[in-house]
Amino acid sequence: MTFTDEETLLAANASLDDSKADRGSRQILTFVLGAETYGLDILRVQEIRGWSTVTKLPYAPAHVLGVLNLRGSIVPIVDLRMRFGLERAEYTAITVIIVVSVDSAAGRREFGIVVDGVSDVVDVNPAEVKAAPDFGVRVATDCIRGLVSVAQRMVVLLDIDRLIGIDGSEPPARSAQASPAPAAA
Amino acid sequence: MTGVDALQAQLAHLLGRRLVTLDVSRLKRIDTAGMQLLAAFVRERAMHDRSVQWRGESAALSMAAQLLGLSAVLGSSKQPPGAAARDGHTP
Amino acid sequence: MTVDLTQFHGAFFEESFEAIDSMEAALLKLDAGAPDQELINTIFRVAHSIKGGSATFGFGEIASFTHSLETLLDELRSGSMQVTLATSDLLLKSVDVMRAMLRCVQAQQPIDAQRVSDLQFDLELMIARKTAVAAAASPGAAAGASRAQAPATAEPRASRWRIAFRPYPQLFARGIDPLRMLRELSALGALQVRAELADVPRFADLDPRSCYLGWSLELNGSVTHGDIAQVFEWAEGDCALQIELLDTPMQEPPVAVATQPVASSAEPAAAGAKPTADAPQLGAHDSGSIRVNVEKIDELMNTVGELVITQSMLSQLGASIDGPGAAKLRAGLAQLERNMRELQESVMRVRMLPINVVFSRFPRMVRDLAQRLGKQIELRLTGEQTELDKTVLEKIGDPLVHLLRNSIDHGIELPDARLAAGKSPTGVVHMDACHRGGNIAVEVRDDGGGLNRDRILAKARERGLVGPHDVLTDEQIYELVFMPGFSTADQPTDVSGRGVGMDVVRRNVMELGGQIELRSEPGKGSKCVITLPLTLAIVEGQSVAVGTETYIIPLISMVESMQLRSTSVSRVAGRGEVFLFRGYYLPIVRLHELFGVQPRTRDLDEGLVVVAEGESHQRIGLFVDDLLSQQQVVIKSLEANYGYVEGVSGATILGDGSVALILDIPEIIRALSVRAAA
């Protein structure tokens, strides 16, 4: 089942009741990138929307495509394929942006990540999560929380804070610069 | 109100141009009818996503714009404060 | 019945702090030579109220101390003790102690008992030593202003009028020019004008001999209905005119007790007013004002900002709709736009406060500083009622403090030096605020020695900022003062002179989107003018197109735009393309190169060049594809979710919902010179 419709996704959320939380299981939103399936903590997902044209940001790393207006906030959009070093894909009508809320040194921030498509929301029991091996997985290992098997599929659980926060998705803050000497008029 | 028809004709001519700069440095007197025309002109340009640039300073224009509450509509008929002093960079 | 009083603590503290502020202000205005009875009454009332309130809440130490204070003030009030410089000093110290006590109690920390009892002892000593004075203090309005004090702010009773002036189309033909009338009105008082353009038809349909304009005016002044009606006499029958009286203008932020001597006060001078009811109320607020939590107002501003964006999106959509009802829809949307603009203005005004909020702490500061440095300083404050947005107000305080300190520390000379120079021994520092265009201008002027050109040059040479043989114009020398770490003080006083000042002041001002200008005349004095936008959240900008991207250039940075002929562009080794503008060669900055976007054209002949200006009159020419409209845009933060981008100060959302980046011109220029220097 593939959810590309925001409303359906929210409805699915509503049907999962809170009692599951007691058992310590987490709800994970799974999505597809290329041949692999990845997962994100559903609590971090703000919304899911389709692709729209982005305003470019100067001096940004290649995987930061630009910014979008999301309900009045300026939100940066990251192409995960580029971030993971996968081949680029075309953005089509079914390309999806997952808007996530990320914890950073500066507090909570919102980001949008571009993925091929969104799949189910699944329950994951933390006990079943296995550590990722050092090889065989494309993504840098410090972004991975672990691997878990769901319906005979391997899902790579991502640590969204580390994914977005590290290596240049976040440009440095404004640094104090010395003013140059008075130029000759 | 003299000359207001001529002004309208002149401005009408400029409506379609991509870039319009009005040099007001020699404008010594203007009345409400003239201001109304200018305001309508600037507004018409804005409706077509075009702007009007102003060159030079006219005390009469600035004063009239301020008194008639048309400064905002006309846009930067005033240059940033102290701009006059900056021209030529004389100390 | 036991009532939990802690719920009232917040109000008590807030009101007490305000009351103490007003007490301090009154004390500073008090002239020892000719004390104003009204001021003394005010001070007494404050002390009495705080005593009562603190007793009710069980804050014993405060109550006890204030009781001693009240006793002293009672003596002063009844005239059995004279107001001297010594008493003023003592009272000011008491103000400090009371503040400190309130803060401690509020933070539930122990009070400095020693300090309190020391001062209390002094108070009681003074009471015991009171000398019988022959005459009571003179009643009625205050005598002239004295040293280190702000001038009395009493004004004749002003009225506020709203005037709706809607000429009929034939007004022009009758030979009547509204400009004349508005000019007359503006001579009667402070006039605010809003033009109504709703009835002005499209340019092609406009009959230039008919009047389509209307005006909504607000006039503040000692004016009668008749005065106003007389101005419009000639237009009778050719216009619709409405004149209505609004309430008297709002006082300053509500204080517990009025501090201005009201000319028509009916209170008998000797007795003074009876203090108001006991705690927890410290005195009635001004009727017609309420306290509002700042967060609520911020929320309101945000919501209105979103409304503006939504409305502008709707307008855009409306423009492209056809069919039956489209005209009505567009008319409705136009009306909506008008309403929105009014709403936005109203809300922005809610956040405006008079600059007096910042000015009010200066008299005390000047007095203390002057005393410490052994100088005689008179501080003049004008334009204190000039209003600006709260956010700008909060950030303007520190720069102004620094400028003031500079004037006092470095500007004004010691009394002997002044006398030797043929000046009066008392130096004057004048701080003025006024609205200029769409901005607020704050000026700090002193009649001290001015900037010492030679000293500055010498210091700069010492620091290696300037070569030993370089010749600099006056302007360039003043520019040096803004360098980080610069100070010509031989020994930094602990007040200023550590040299961390002017560069920070300028940066703060520029971050607020404003400008700062320094002028000086050796021997005569210096003047520093800070210009700031009225509000931070909105900027007037010119939108430009580069390829498919839209950028906004703040109007405050814009000089002119022009079409360039590639033949008038030269290449200079190491500096790229330059062109001649008003006698100077300016570098061309190709925005498409700077930001790495695909432009419509790279051909200088096909695009446009916008001349923009940054700090200290440095100018560049920005090469863009096209000029779009000028508009007011709501500034959205890029840093909230992303971070800092060089050359970009923020973003905004356009009418079609897309994002446009707002350019930071001073930053772009700075980066350019850094790169060129490299």
Side-chain angles (χ1 to χ4, degrees):
Chain A
M1 222 184 353
T2 305
F3 291 68
T4 51
D5 182 338
E6 182 181 344
E7 287 162 359
T8 325
L9 177 71
L10 292 176
N13 271 348
S15 67
L16 301 163
D17 58 356
D18 288 308
S19 61
K20 304 223 169 147
D22 299 331
R23 284 197 262 122
S25 70
R26 310 271 279 288
Q27 283 162 25
I28 302 292
L29 171 71
T30 57
F31 60 91
V32 171
L33 264 191
E36 280 156 17
T37 307
Y38 297 85
L40 280 179
D41 189 342
I42 194 80
L43 293 174
R44 294 311 197 83
V45 177
Q46 303 280 86
E47 77 178 84
I48 298 179
R49 41 187 285 158
W51 170 257
S52 50
T53 323
V54 150
T55 300
K56 288 186 140 88
L57 279 177
Y59 319 122
H63 58 268
V64 177
L65 301 174
V67 286
L68 268 189
N69 163 22
L70 245 44
R71 285 171 282 105
S73 290
I74 312 287
V75 177
I77 307 295
V78 172
D79 185 321
L80 268 197
R81 274 176 170 266
M82 283 202 247
R83 179 72 179 71
F84 291 166
L86 302 176
E87 308 167 349
R88 290 209 51 182
E90 287 288 315
Y91 300 134
T92 71
I94 59 165
T95 304
V96 158
I97 297 180
I98 305 178
V99 182
V100 292
S101 154
V102 168
D103 271 330
S104 77
R108 278 261 153 146
R109 296 165 160 230
E110 283 188 337
F111 272 84
I113 54 179
V114 182
V115 304
D116 294 348
V118 170
S119 298
D120 317 346
V121 176
V122 296
D123 270 325
V124 166
N125 189 339
E128 290 169 25
V129 176
K130 305 197 177 23
D134 286 331
F135 53 89
V137 184
R138 295 185 197 232
V139 180
T141 45
D142 48 354
C143 297
I144 299 183
R145 267 221 213 98
L147 305 175
V148 73
S149 185
V150 174
Q152 279 104 43
R153 247 181 329 175
M154 183 185 79
V155 176
V156 182
L157 293 176
L158 296 172
D159 183 337
I160 195 69
D161 295 323
R162 314 203 70 181
L163 184 66
I164 303 293
I166 62 178
D167 88 19
S169 294
E170 236 178 78
R174 190 189 292 262
S175 52
Q177 290 164 349
S179 334
Chain B
M1 245 194 345
T2 50
V4 87
D5 299 290
L7 181 59
Q8 184 182 35
Q10 279 183 314
L11 290 175
H13 212 57
L14 294 176
L15 259 184
R17 293 260 197 91
R18 197 153 62 110
L19 185 63
V20 169
T21 305
L22 296 179
D23 189 329
V24 296
S25 46
R26 291 218 293 250
L27 185 62
K28 294 280 181 264
R29 247 188 336 181
I30 189 161
D31 60 9
T32 308
M35 293 298 289
Q36 176 180 260
L37 209 52
L38 284 177
F41 177 68
V42 174
R43 195 183 64 166
E44 188 74 25
R45 290 275 297 172
M47 283 188 195
H48 291 99
D49 258 343
R50 298 279 188 213
S51 60
V52 174
Q53 307 296 317
W54 300 89
R55 182 176 307 144
E57 290 208 329
S58 159
L61 180 64
S62 304
M63 176 104 289
Q66 203 174 340
L67 278 175
L68 292 172
L70 292 174
S71 308
V73 171
L74 291 182
S76 43
S77 71
K78 289 184 194 35
Q79 300 177 346
R86 293 189 199 134
D87 276 317
H89 294 237
T90 48
Chain C
M1 175 188 69
T2 38
V3 177
D4 179 13
L5 288 175
T6 50
Q7 56 180 310
F8 298 115
H9 280 185
F12 167 72
F13 286 122
E14 227 180 294
E15 288 172 15
S16 298
F17 282 122
E18 271 189 17
I20 290 186
D21 282 343
S22 68
M23 178 193 244
E24 186 180 47
L27 274 171
L28 287 168
K29 284 197 198 134
L30 206 55
D31 184 345
D36 179 345
Q37 186 63 26
E38 189 58 44
L39 287 174
I40 299 180
N41 289 339
T42 296
I43 298 168
F44 175 84
R45 279 198 293 269
V46 167
H48 184 85
S49 297
I50 297 185
K51 183 190 84 169
S54 45
T56 303
F57 288 107
F59 302 137
E61 299 111 325
I62 302 184
S64 156
F65 177 82
T66 326
H67 177 80
S68 305
L69 184 60
E70 191 193 27
T71 311
L72 174 62
L73 287 167
D74 206 6
E75 301 287 336
L76 290 172
R77 189 168 72 132
S78 64
S80 53
M81 181 148 83
Q82 209 176 21
V83 177
T84 65
L85 208 55
T87 46
S88 283
D89 276 344
L90 197 56
L91 290 173
L92 279 172
K93 282 209 192 91
S94 307
V95 162
D96 291 337
V97 164
M98 283 204 301
R99 255 198 210 116
M101 280 198 283
L102 279 171
R103 281 196 194 122
C104 287
V105 174
Q106 190 182 36
Q108 292 178 333
Q109 277 166 3
I111 294 180
D112 182 349
Q114 186 62 45
R115 186 178 172 204
V116 174
S117 70
D118 282 348
L119 196 58
Q120 203 159 356
F121 180 75
D122 288 338
L123 285 173
E124 275 148 24
L125 198 57
M126 185 157 275
I127 296 170
R129 273 210 227 111
K130 73 177 182 200
T131 37
V133 174
S138 49
S146 67
R147 283 189 259 139
Q149 289 158 14
T153 50
E155 278 165 11
R157 191 75 60 88
S159 346
R160 218 170 85 204
W161 299 91
R162 182 179 297 143
I163 306 163
F165 176 42
R166 301 258 186 291
Y168 297 151
Q170 72 267 23
L171 190 82
F172 288 163
R174 294 256 194 277
I176 299 172
D177 190 356
L179 193 54
R180 237 179 292 140
M181 294 167 173
L182 291 171
R183 203 174 287 138
E184 263 187 66
L185 276 182
S186 67
L188 291 178
L191 183 67
Q192 275 171 345
V193 182
R194 198 172 57 196
E196 311 285 345
L197 289 115
D199 294 327
V200 179
R202 298 293 289 262
F203 192 78
D205 303 324
L206 195 145
D207 171 15
R209 289 163 184 276
S210 295
C211 181
Y212 306 99
L213 291 166
W215 287 274
S216 302
L217 310 164
E218 206 178 279
L219 183 63
N220 256 304
S222 355
V223 191
T224 65
H225 191 285
D227 293 330
I228 300 177
Q230 201 175 33
V231 171
F232 292 100
E233 231 177 5
W234 282 109
E236 209 176 286
D238 292 316
C239 69
L241 183 66
Q242 252 180 330
I243 306 174
E244 61 171 295
L245 174 66
L246 304 170
D247 336 36
T248 44
M250 272 236 292
Q251 305 285 322
E252 292 168 30
V255 293
V257 172
T259 57
Q260 292 151 343
V262 174
S264 54
S265 165
E267 294 168 10
K274 287 290 164 235
T276 49
D278 297 3
Q281 276 139 331
L282 279 186
H285 289 303
D286 270 353
S287 59
S289 67
I290 55 170
R291 285 183 191 287
V292 180
N293 198 315
V294 169
E295 279 162 6
K296 288 190 188 169
I297 298 190
D298 282 344
E299 236 179 80
L300 188 60
M301 279 286 296
N302 280 342
T303 309
V304 171
E306 297 301 325
L307 263 178
V308 168
I309 293 173
T310 306
Q311 170 264 308
S312 122
M313 271 171 68
L314 284 176
S315 289
Q316 263 212 357
L317 285 173
S320 57
I321 289 191
D322 285 314
K328 274 212 178 130
L329 177 65
R330 273 196 278 275
L333 286 172
Q335 180 66 42
L336 181 63
E337 184 173 331
R338 279 194 291 275
N339 292 342
M340 278 311 309
R341 205 176 319 232
E342 269 189 53
L343 179 62
Q344 193 175 33
E345 278 171 35
S346 297
V347 172
M348 276 181 20
R349 256 178 282 143
V350 169
R351 281 204 343 187
M352 308 260 281
L353 289 172
I355 200 172
N356 197 28
V357 171
V358 165
F359 276 8
S360 57
R361 52 172 159 138
F362 291 156
R364 179 69 190 272
M365 190 185 103
V366 168
R367 188 187 195 278
D368 288 345
L369 198 50
Q371 244 177 21
R372 210 169 349 151
L373 295 173
K375 299 187 181 173
Q376 286 169 9
I377 313 245
E378 180 190 334
L379 174 68
R380 285 195 202 141
L381 298 172
T382 52
E384 330 81 273
Q385 293 310 314
T386 310
E387 290 194 342
L388 57 166
D389 185 279
K390 186 173 187 305
T391 40
V392 178
L393 192 65
E394 278 161 15
K395 306 209 178 160
I396 200 182
D398 286 344
L400 287 181
V401 165
H402 194 90
L403 290 179
L404 198 53
R405 283 182 165 163
N406 269 353
S407 280
I408 297 176
D409 205 7
H410 301 307
I412 307 277
E413 317 92 320
L414 287 164
D416 293 335
R418 287 183 66 89
L419 280 170
K423 298 185 192 177
S424 107
T426 305
V428 176
V429 178
H430 190 163
M431 213 180 244
D432 174 60
C434 67
H435 286 143
R436 229 183 258 170
N439 300 314
I440 181 170
V442 184
E443 196 180 273
V444 180
R445 209 163 62 217
D446 69 62
D447 65 352
L451 291 178
N452 189 327
R453 211 178 166 280
D454 297 322
R455 276 258 291 276
I456 296 177
L457 200 52
K459 212 60 179 214
R461 290 209 171 111
E462 211 182 284
R463 297 277 181 94
L465 292 169
V466 165
H469 302 296
D470 285 357
V471 172
L472 292 149
T473 64
D474 279 352
E475 224 181 60
Q476 288 170 313
I477 292 191
Y478 300 152
E479 187 55 36
L480 287 172
V481 172
F482 287 106
M483 294 285 116
F486 198 91
S487 166
T488 55
D490 301 310
Q491 246 143 339
T493 63
D494 73 325
V495 168
S496 53
R498 239 162 305 183
V500 296
M502 286 308 265
D503 63 322
V504 175
V505 170
R506 179 152 79 176
R507 195 170 335 131
N508 285 347
V509 169
M510 302 222 81
E511 271 171 19
L512 289 174
Q515 289 164 334
I516 183 169
E517 212 168 308
L518 190 57
R519 282 199 211 128
S520 165
E521 239 185 283
K524 298 267 185 64
S526 333
K527 177 164 87 160
C528 191
V529 184
I530 295 181
T531 320
L532 291 171
L534 281 176
T535 169
L536 288 186
I538 303 217
V539 81
E540 297 260 2
Q542 167 74 56
S543 49
V544 298
V546 181
T548 52
E549 303 290 319
T550 306
Y551 298 97
I552 310 275
I553 301 177
L555 279 187
I556 204 171
S557 304
M558 240 183 88
V559 178
E560 196 175 299
S561 56
M562 46 204 277
Q563 209 156 359
L564 214 52
R565 273 188 302 277
S566 48
T567 48
S568 47
V569 176
S570 342
R571 291 206 76 95
V572 176
R575 293 196 60 191
E577 302 164 301
V578 296
F579 70 108
L580 194 61
F581 180 75
R582 296 192 194 162
Y584 286 88
Y585 280 102
L586 307 184
I588 294 185
V589 175
R590 289 172 175 265
L591 268 189
H592 64 86
E593 263 177 24
L594 190 65
F595 290 149
V597 295
Q598 193 76 279
R600 179 178 59 83
T601 175
R602 289 170 202 272
D603 194 337
L604 287 175
D605 287 316
E606 300 252 323
L608 290 171
V609 166
V610 175
V611 179
E613 187 173 272
E615 273 176 41
S616 47
H617 317 315
Q618 290 176 301
R619 290 178 175 180
I620 52 171
L622 291 166
F623 177 64
V624 302
D625 285 340
D626 242 319
L627 237 51
L628 303 171
S629 52
Q630 275 182 10
Q631 55 200 185
Q632 259 192 0
V633 296
V634 177
I635 302 180
K636 292 271 176 192
S637 163
L638 210 49
E639 313 214 4
N641 284 324
Y642 182 63
Y644 164 65
V645 177
E646 185 179 84
V648 173
S649 67
T652 186
I653 299 178
L654 298 174
D656 62 358
S658 66
V659 177
L661 299 179
I662 303 174
L663 301 186
D664 184 340
I665 302 293
E667 186 62 41
I668 292 179
I669 296 181
R670 217 177 295 146
L672 192 69
S673 23
V674 168
R675 273 199 282 274

